[in-house]
Structures are given as structure tokens and as C-alpha cells.
């Protein structure tokens, strides 16, 4: 999908929300950004300089992901509504309205695992911490304070953490 087609789709989605009288913001950047690094999200709505910027993962640009792309654009546009920066009750009400009208399945998260609707790039696990008390396994892909100094941190159960990888 080209950038022009993506921006055109944003206009189509805006028109659908307009028909439902969902009050999305008129202050939306007309160019949808493509995020090539997103590993754990399909889209993002950023408020900067008085405008909302919509970002989508490049994974959604595949031809077989057209329906999910449209749904993701609606999800992010709903965040531009007053009082909908989070996934609170108002956001959920607007999402339900769009779901019922257009057959979407907009939710806070989308299952991207085996059998899910999208396949994001897998993030490699570089570090593993284990609780010495309950055996809870904590996987991390980046170096953090807990990975560097696990003896300074505790598990939810109160047990000591130990780095095994």
C-alpha cells in the first residue's frame, strides 16, 4: 500500500466515524506515519504541537492485513476524541458503536500470537530472570536495572530474583 492510499484510507475511516457522530478531533495530521520498528503494537496516536499524529506498523501494509489496518486506524482515531486518550469507558463506548455499525472487533489489544490476526516481528529474549521462591520466569529483550542487578529486586511473591541468561 502506498502512502497516498494509506492517507486516502484515513479519510474513508474518518467519514465512517462522522456518519456515527463520533466526535474525533479535526486536528489530525493528514499523513499517516509508517513505523518500521514497532514490535509490540499495531498503531499509535501521538499528540504533538496541537495535532494528532497517527502511526501504524508496517506489518499492516501487507495486502492480507487490509481489514486490520482499517480497524487500527479507527482505533487510533478514537483516541483523538475528547476524554479518550486512554482506553477508558468513553473510548470503549465509541469503539462498541463502531464495532456494531461496521463489524469491527476494536479492543484495547489484539491477539498477535499463534492463530492471531496479525504477526508482528518476534522480539528475541536476551535475558531471563527467575524467582528463587516461586519460580516465576521474567524474560527481557533489553538490558535494564533489574537485569544488571537482580539481587536488588524482588518478585511479587517477595522472593529473590536470579539472572539465568
Amino acid at each position: 500500500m502506498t502512502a497516498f492510499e494509506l492517507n486516502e484510507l484515513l479519510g474513508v475511516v474518518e467519514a465512517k466515524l462522522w456518519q456515527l457522530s463520533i466526535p474525533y478531533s479535526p486536528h489530525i495530521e493528514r499523513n499517516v506515519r509508517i513505523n518500521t520498528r514497532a514490535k509490540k503494537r499495531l498503531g499509535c496516536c501521538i499528540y504533538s504541537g496541537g495535532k494528532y499524529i497517527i502511526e501504524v506498523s508496517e506489518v499492516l501494509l501487507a495486502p492480507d492485513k487490509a481489514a486490520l489496518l482499517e480497524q487500527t486506524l479507527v482505533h487510533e482515531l478514537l483516541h483523538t476524541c475528547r476524554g479518550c486518550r486512554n482506553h477508558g469507558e468513553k473510548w470503549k463506548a465509541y469503539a462498541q458503536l463502531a464495532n456494531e455499525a461496521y463489524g469491527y472487533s476494536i479492543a484495547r489489544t489484539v491477539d498477535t500470537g499463534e492463530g492471531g490476526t496479525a504477526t508482528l516481528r518476534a522480539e528475541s529474549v536476551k535475558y531471563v530472570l527467575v524467582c528463587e521462591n516461586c519460580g516465576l520466569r521474567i524474560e527481557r529483550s533489553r538490558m535494564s536495572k533489574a537485569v544488571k542487578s537482580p539481587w536488588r529486586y524482588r518478585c511479587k511473591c517477595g522472593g529473590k530474583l536470579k539472572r539465568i541468561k
Side-chain angles (χ1 to χ4, degrees):
M1 175 172 281
T2 66
F4 178 77
E5 292 170 326
L6 186 58
N7 296 330
E8 215 171 52
L9 181 58
L10 178 64
V12 168
V13 168
E14 284 180 322
K16 286 183 173 187
L17 293 183
W18 184 257
Q19 287 175 342
L20 296 175
S21 300
I22 294 177
Y24 64 89
S25 174
H27 307 291
I28 298 169
E29 177 67 38
R30 300 282 35 126
N31 294 313
V32 177
R33 289 187 188 168
I34 299 167
N35 189 328
T36 59
R37 298 174 300 147
K39 294 181 180 180
K40 293 187 173 189
R41 66 176 184 230
L42 297 176
C44 183
C45 179
I46 303 163
Y47 185 73
S48 177
K51 286 192 167 212
Y52 289 96
I53 300 162
I54 306 292
E55 258 185 23
V56 295
S57 171
E58 79 175 334
V59 171
L60 294 176
L61 302 181
D64 63 328
K65 303 281 192 256
L68 188 56
L69 172 60
E70 182 174 329
Q71 188 172 287
T72 300
L73 286 173
V74 172
H75 176 121
E76 300 311 332
L77 276 175
L78 291 178
H79 284 305
T80 71
C81 298
R82 184 178 301 273
C84 293
R85 293 287 295 144
N86 57 17
H87 297 105
E89 293 306 313
K90 196 172 185 181
W91 182 90
K92 287 177 186 174
Y94 289 144
Q96 185 62 33
L97 190 61
N99 287 344
E100 290 171 2
Y102 300 113
Y104 297 138
S105 56
I106 298 168
R108 187 180 66 81
T109 60
V110 174
D111 179 18
T112 59
E114 291 295 316
T117 53
T119 305
L120 295 179
R121 287 180 285 171
E123 202 168 336
S124 62
V125 175
K126 295 180 183 173
Y127 310 101
V128 178
L129 303 172
V130 175
C131 174
E132 293 179 339
N133 187 34
C134 70
L136 177 70
R137 187 177 163 97
I138 303 168
E139 298 178 343
R140 296 286 180 259
S141 60
R142 297 182 186 172
M143 180 60 71
S144 67
K145 290 180 180 180
V147 171
K148 285 181 185 176
S149 310
W151 59 89
R152 292 183 177 172
Y153 296 87
R154 298 276 180 189
C155 175
K156 291 183 278 186
C157 75
K160 293 181 182 180
L161 295 179
K162 178 181 176 183
R163 181 172 157 190
I164 61 170
K165 179 179 175 188

